Amino acid sequence: MSVTTATTAAATTADQPVCAPLPVLGRDVTVPLVTGGEVGYAALDYAASAPALQRVWDDVAAYAPYYGSVHRGAGYLSQLSTDLFENARKTVAAFLGCRADDQVIFTRSTTDSLNLLARALPAGCQVFVFETEHHASLLPWQDARVTYLDAPRTPRQAVETLERALADRDPHGPALVCVTGASNVTGELWPVRELAAAAHAHGARIVLDAAQLAPHHPVDLRDLDVDWVAFSGHKLYAPFGSGVLAGRADWLRAAEPYLAGGGASRKVTRRADGAVEVEWHESAARHEAGSPNVIGAYSIASACRALTEAGWDTLVAREQHLLRAVREGLADVPEVRFLSLFGDDAPRVGVLSFVVEGWNSSHFAAALSAEYGIGVRDGLFCAHPLVRTLLGSDPQTQGECGAPEAAPGEKSLNAIRVSFGAGTPDEHVERFVTAVRELVAQGAKWRYRTEDGRCVPAV
């Protein structure tokens, strides 16, 4: 199916079943059920890793025979691969609305990108980060002066909390605000423009963790007025181990290279005293030492093109259709409680977390998989402080999976997350809603046990 055909098929009314606008790998995979037989796998864990777009896979397969070393090879394949790698950088820059003097650095992931920026902070930099962040954006700042901000309960409160914290900082030193664009737990959209305005009004810079935003919603650095943005390829339908840090160049140029080695160095000489002297690149190459992940970068560029060509209006409308199907399908199941910071009506991407009264979340997720062929995620989602806040738990409460026969609440500090995107067909969401309703009403059909901290079917 072409992108044009898929887009046209998706542009139907919100109340009619519509096919996924962008085909993904794995859509024909079947999995066994413990109750017998097989069923098509319903991948509803996009927030962890989205399946590869068929378009991305085809582009990579077409390029693979021409793969070569980049930047310094004289051969035809090396020159072709270099052009492809640098054109991928340009594609990503356009996708993100980068400014003329911004740098686009290819990394391994969002986590890698934010750790790179943490290494580039100027001396004395103070960092402001909400406790609601994913660990990838909560933890890299350990060597800086960090102010952790309490979880806000409205977007306005988020802005006010940041403004108060920034007003109390040293106005003469550098400062950085780190904020998510969309929560990996609740899917809620954060007021990025307003937070950026508050940061800049107080002389601070801001980096956007767009890991959950970029696959679901347009991200434009100029429109949002953020200084940097970070995201991962594997959440953007390009699972080949690459990520991006894009934004202002000055701190990156002034910092020591993230990794020391070939590619980052422009000139290396041996001094008379025997020491080695290095002149580092000032371009993105400064922080891309070693042989780059050309296929990872190319796959991100391919995904960026596919999402842009499909049209964000179509993709967002399609996702809202799926969100409504879940919320409305479970609205009359009082045992199901969705987790939210800003309220049930807050704008969000295709990510929802919930708990089910009387169930250990790991047990529930195991039953969805084993009995219905539905893949979701359970746990604390690498956002422990946020999930603890949403569940109203003490920081010392245990969070591992308990035995499924444990009493309600015993060792059950975990939740269930369902997430979807451009490759999710209606049937997967419909099956999920039916499965949740049946499990709540009838219970599991199989017995489960704990193995290595996970609930699994008993054999």
Side-chain angles (χ1 to χ4, degrees), residues 54-95:
Q54 184 69 55
R55 157 83 170 268
V56 170
W57 188 262
D58 291 345
D59 283 350
V60 168
Y63 161 65
Y66 301 94
Y67 173 82
S69 62
V70 301
H71 291 147
R72 287 163 299 282
Y76 178 81
L77 297 191
S78 290
Q79 294 178 34
L80 185 149
S81 294
T82 298
D83 287 345
L84 180 142
F85 184 69
E86 294 304 331
N87 282 329
R89 202 187 305 275
K90 294 175 183 177
T91 298
V92 172
F95 180 77

Side-chain angles (χ1 to χ4, degrees), residues 175-304:
L176 178 71
V177 176
C178 180
V179 67
T180 189
S183 171
N184 77 302
V185 176
T186 67
E188 291 164 311
L189 296 173
W190 276 61
V192 177
R193 286 187 191 86
E194 293 82 357
L195 292 167
H200 293 152
H202 291 275
R205 298 188 182 188
I206 185 167
V207 57
L208 172 64
D209 174 354
Q212 297 298 335
L213 184 63
H216 304 276
H217 198 276
V219 175
D220 189 301
L221 275 82
R222 287 170 294 188
D223 179 54
L224 296 173
D225 197 23
V226 296
D227 298 282
W228 292 278
V229 62
F231 70 88
S232 296
H234 73 98
K235 297 184 192 299
L236 196 79
Y237 312 100
F240 292 94
S242 195
V244 167
L245 175 68
R248 295 178 63 163
D250 54 348
W251 285 8
L252 299 171
R253 287 175 180 155
E256 289 295 307
Y258 185 46
L259 296 173
S265 56
R266 181 158 50 192
K267 184 172 72 173
V268 180
T269 56
R270 187 85 181 275
R271 295 200 313 244
D273 62 3
V276 171
E277 192 170 80
V278 185
E279 181 182 334
W280 302 106
H281 279 293
E282 292 190 355
S283 66
R286 185 183 188 90
H287 299 291
E288 292 179 344
S291 297
N293 182 357
V294 180
I295 286 182
Y298 183 48
S299 67
I300 288 180
S302 173
C304 290

Side-chain angles (χ1 to χ4, degrees), residues 126-218:
Q126 188 170 3
V127 177
F128 297 84
V129 57
F130 286 93
E131 67 172 353
T132 48
E133 294 290 310
H134 185 283
H135 294 171
S137 47
L138 185 73
L139 302 181
W141 323 105
Q142 299 300 309
D143 293 335
R145 293 186 298 150
V146 187
T147 298
Y148 296 105
L149 307 176
D150 292 340
R153 285 301 185 170
T154 66
R156 180 67 243 168
Q157 189 180 73
V159 177
E160 293 171 348
T161 297
L162 179 61
E163 288 176 333
R164 285 194 299 270
L166 290 172
D168 291 337
R169 80 174 188 91
D170 177 1
H172 302 294
L176 178 71
V177 176
C178 180
V179 67
T180 189
S183 171
N184 77 302
V185 176
T186 67
E188 291 164 311
L189 296 173
W190 276 61
V192 177
R193 286 187 191 86
E194 293 82 357
L195 292 167
H200 293 152
H202 291 275
R205 298 188 182 188
I206 185 167
V207 57
L208 172 64
D209 174 354
Q212 297 298 335
L213 184 63
H216 304 276
H217 198 276

